[in-house]
Amino acid sequence: MTQNLLHQLRQICGDAHVLTHDDPATDLSPWEQDWRKRVRGRALAVVRPGNTQEVAAVVKACAAQHTPIVPQGGNTGLVVGGVPDGSGTQVVLSMTRMNAVRAVDPANLTITVEAGCVLQNLQAAAAQAGFLFPLSLGAEGSCTIGGNLGTNAGGTQVVRYGNTRELCLGLEVVTAQGQIWHGLTGLRKDNTGYDLRNLMIGSEGTLGIITAATMKLYPLPAAQLTAWAAVPSMEAAVQLLGLAHQRLGPGLTGFEVMNQFALSLVDKHFPQLRVPLWQETPWCVLLENSDSESETHARGQFEALLEAALEAGCVSDAVVAESLAQARGLWHIRESITLAQVEEGLNIKHDISIPVSLIPAFVAETDALLAREVPGVRMVDFGHLGDGNLHYNVQAPEGADGHAFLRDFEDQVNTLVFDQVKRFDGSISAEHGVGGLKVGKLPLYKDPTAMAMMRLVKQALDPHNLLNPHKVIA
Ligand code: FAD
Ligand code: MLT
Ligand code: ZN
């Protein structure tokens, strides 16, 4: 039966695009191993379709043999959502060959791309047409727009432009039955029934396979300035955020916070990046001001903001990038925290959100609880404060064995942090999703009626549980 299915898949996609363990020269680890090296699965096959019709035919063939499918884009996900389990029975559907830009509509301010298009290439295509595609994250050189939509990725521009969901107008999707939904509309208004687009976005490959998307474009800003500020406390960072909203309005396109330990890891592992100000302050903030008028206007606004902040005591020191290269350098430091954490060793990641106003109290209380329960714990706190989204990460104590730390403390730490998140009216996942990593925890923290509705939706759209089984909901 398996050989029969593999034969059919080869007929659909071509021999070169169906990879299996039968060929000892083929290394499937890039598709089987998750980015954080938390799980190494084993696939029945990695299938790489070249167009939507092939995706539909692959799904039909797999469905006929009751073979589960795991959709995968760039495999940069952080919650073990895009890799197969260890059974050797699941097909990884890698979308990376479907990477074309199908159309740009300048008057409608839209771009239509295939799901496997790498985010950086989508940004470049938009720029080439004279527009901005604002989604931006550290993995943009390898993640795909299909994966961004699958996870409803956030990133560093959400404070102004919203999550991937807010940037999407239409989708083309292959259903669990192998039907094609032609939903590639560029409409900004459409009230003809249930919002299937938003149901698919953030469903992490469990409800359908996204094959293409129509995304929004924005005018390129006339100037973009970046500042790096030392702030004395998390309360001060929140106060600075309020001032930045007031003074920059829609010009505020980025507001990231980083604690001293996170920056010390960047300094330790990537000293060439020359992290500014980190030694003299517990927190730093990275701000971006995008201006539709001119650089002079942007600089004037920024300087006035920083003067007011220094006067109010919520900033102790600050630098404004003098050039694009300097601005890129500052952003590069911020985006290197994840890699510095990898260099430092295994860690526990969180991508929680809580109301911005409650973040200082959350951090103070939860830091104290963790310090009591996990002696020597090292907190790597950073993230998208402008969105109320913190990467409240826990690094193993200095010198500890990372594997032993995860074995002994991961569940306890997650429970402590998620209980606190619930107490502060937050969400246990603001941007990375649930995947396979948080699937056991979700029912403990999500509203039971919402969980029940999610199960009904899954059962209605994928009754045989073929699409990414045991991810998001068990
Ligand atoms: P994959 O990892 O391949 O898949 C992710 C999920 O989407 C899986 O469940 C998969 O089944 C599903 N999926 C993939 N393609 C499709 C498709 N075509 N149709 C349906 N489902 C699909 N995330 C953020 O939100 N914000 C950040 O700032 C951020 N920064 C990051 C920085 C680094 C250095 C790294 C490594 C990751 C970061 N991430 C961030 C996480 C990750 O990059 C995002 O989740 C991204 O959206 C995943 O895209 P991908 O193409 O790699 O998807
Ligand atoms: C980020 O904001 O850099 C990411 O979401 C990645 C991470 O959490 O490490
Ligand atoms: Zn993030």
Side-chain angles (χ1 to χ4, degrees):
M1 207 156 90
T2 301
Q3 287 308 322
N4 182 21
L5 174 61
L6 293 175
H7 176 70
Q8 281 183 54
L9 296 176
R10 288 192 172 104
Q11 280 192 320
I12 296 164
C13 298
D15 287 352
H17 303 304
V18 179
L19 315 176
T20 68
H21 287 283
D22 292 343
D23 176 4
T26 307
D27 175 18
L28 297 190
S29 53
W31 296 274
E32 291 179 332
Q33 171 83 69
D34 77 302
W35 193 90
R36 290 173 63 201
K37 301 204 168 25
R38 295 296 311 266
V39 168
R40 170 71 200 257
R42 185 175 172 85
L44 170 67
V46 174
V47 179
R48 305 191 307 148
N51 58 50
T52 306
Q53 284 67 32
E54 287 183 12
V55 174
V58 167
V59 172
K60 280 186 182 155
C62 289
Q65 307 268 358
H66 306 290
T67 298
I69 297 168
V70 181
Q72 191 183 90
N75 197 15
T76 66
L78 299 173
V79 291
V80 190
V83 288
D85 66 16
S87 66
T89 61
Q90 304 188 329
V91 163
V92 172
L93 190 74
S94 170
M95 299 299 290
T96 52
R97 281 182 66 224
M98 288 185 60
N99 55 17
V101 175
R102 287 196 190 162
V104 178
D105 184 341
N108 199 40
L109 288 173
T110 52
I111 184 166
T112 298
V113 292
E114 292 182 342
C117 183
V118 168
L119 176 56
Q120 208 165 58
N121 296 342
L122 169 47
Q123 294 164 344
Q128 210 178 358
F131 295 100
L132 171 75
F133 181 66
L135 183 66
S136 177
L137 45 134
E140 63 198 23
S142 43
C143 66
T144 63
I145 191 66
N148 303 148
L149 287 158
T151 57
N152 185 30
T156 52
Q157 302 275 296
V158 175
V159 68
R160 164 70 177 88
Y161 299 101
N163 297 292
T164 311
R165 170 172 280 127
E166 281 82 44
L167 300 174
C168 179
L169 292 175
L171 290 179
E172 179 185 85
V173 171
V174 170
T175 68
Q177 294 71 36
Q179 305 298 316
I180 301 172
W181 167 37
H182 298 281
L184 279 181
T185 161
L187 300 176
R188 282 171 168 79
K189 296 181 120 181
D190 178 8
N191 281 348
T192 54
Y194 304 141
D195 193 339
L196 300 175
R197 176 192 68 206
N198 276 337
L199 192 56
M200 289 294 159
I201 298 173
S203 68
E204 301 183 49
T206 62
L207 299 180
I209 295 156
I210 296 165
T211 50
T214 299
M215 308 300 294
K216 290 183 193 170
L217 294 174
Y218 290 82
L220 281 165
Q224 225 166 14
L225 287 188
T226 303
W228 184 281
V231 298
S233 63
M234 186 54 109
E235 284 84 354
V238 170
Q239 197 188 345
L240 176 61
L241 174 64
L243 277 179
H245 275 306
Q246 257 174 29
R247 300 218 167 214
L248 306 180
L252 180 66
T253 47
F255 194 99
E256 299 285 314
V257 72
M258 300 151 284
N259 79 348
Q260 191 177 46
F261 183 60
L263 293 174
S264 80
L265 290 183
V266 178
D267 182 70
K268 176 177 169 186
H269 297 290
F270 309 113
Q272 72 281 11
L273 297 185
R274 305 165 79 86
V275 182
L277 304 179
W278 72 273
Q279 275 157 312
E280 59 205 61
T281 181
W283 297 92
C284 285
V285 167
L286 185 61
L287 303 96
E288 188 182 75
N289 181 18
S290 300
D291 196 287
S292 55
E293 282 186 36
S294 67
E295 179 160 342
T296 315
H297 185 253
R299 207 167 277 281
Q301 267 193 326
F302 232 1
E303 279 164 7
L305 164 67
L306 291 171
E307 262 168 42
L310 281 161
E311 209 165 290
C314 59
V315 163
S316 55
D317 200 355
V319 286
V320 179
E322 289 297 329
S323 65
L324 202 58
Q326 261 182 25
R328 286 206 179 113
L330 294 177
W331 276 105
H332 190 45
I333 292 168
R334 154 64 183 90
E335 298 297 13
S336 299
I337 297 174
T338 307
L339 288 170
Q341 274 205 270
V342 173
E343 291 296 317
E344 186 69 8
L346 288 171
N347 56 76
I348 302 170
K349 256 189 192 308
H350 295 120
D351 62 311
I352 56 169
S353 62
I354 49 181
V356 170
S357 48
L358 302 181
I359 283 185
F362 170 89
V363 171
E365 262 189 38
T366 317
D367 277 4
L369 288 172
L370 279 170
R372 207 177 60 200
E373 293 215 4
V374 190
V377 75
R378 298 181 297 167
M379 299 307 303
V380 183
D381 282 359
F382 68 103
H384 321 288
L385 186 62
D387 320 324
N389 170 198
L390 262 199
H391 296 303
Y392 190 73
N393 294 346
V394 182
Q395 200 82 34
E398 180 106 56
D401 173 58
H403 290 284
F405 174 68
L406 289 182
R407 186 193 60 221
D408 298 340
F409 288 105
E410 185 171 27
D411 192 60
Q412 188 184 343
V413 166
N414 284 342
T415 300
L416 189 156
V417 172
F418 293 166
D419 283 356
Q420 281 287 96
V421 166
K422 192 171 180 176
R423 220 168 72 65
F424 279 83
D425 292 330
S427 162
I428 66 166
S429 175
E431 53 173 22
H432 300 158
V434 178
L437 215 52
K438 289 177 237 164
V439 71
K441 291 285 183 205
L442 190 64
L444 306 176
Y445 296 96
K446 198 163 170 93
D447 177 272
T449 307
M451 278 309 293
M453 288 194 287
M454 277 176 38
R455 287 197 188 93
L456 288 173
V457 169
K458 170 72 174 170
Q459 213 174 4
L461 295 186
D462 181 18
H464 303 296
N465 200 16
L466 290 174
L467 295 182
N468 221 359
H470 313 299
K471 310 281 172 50
V472 185
I473 43 181

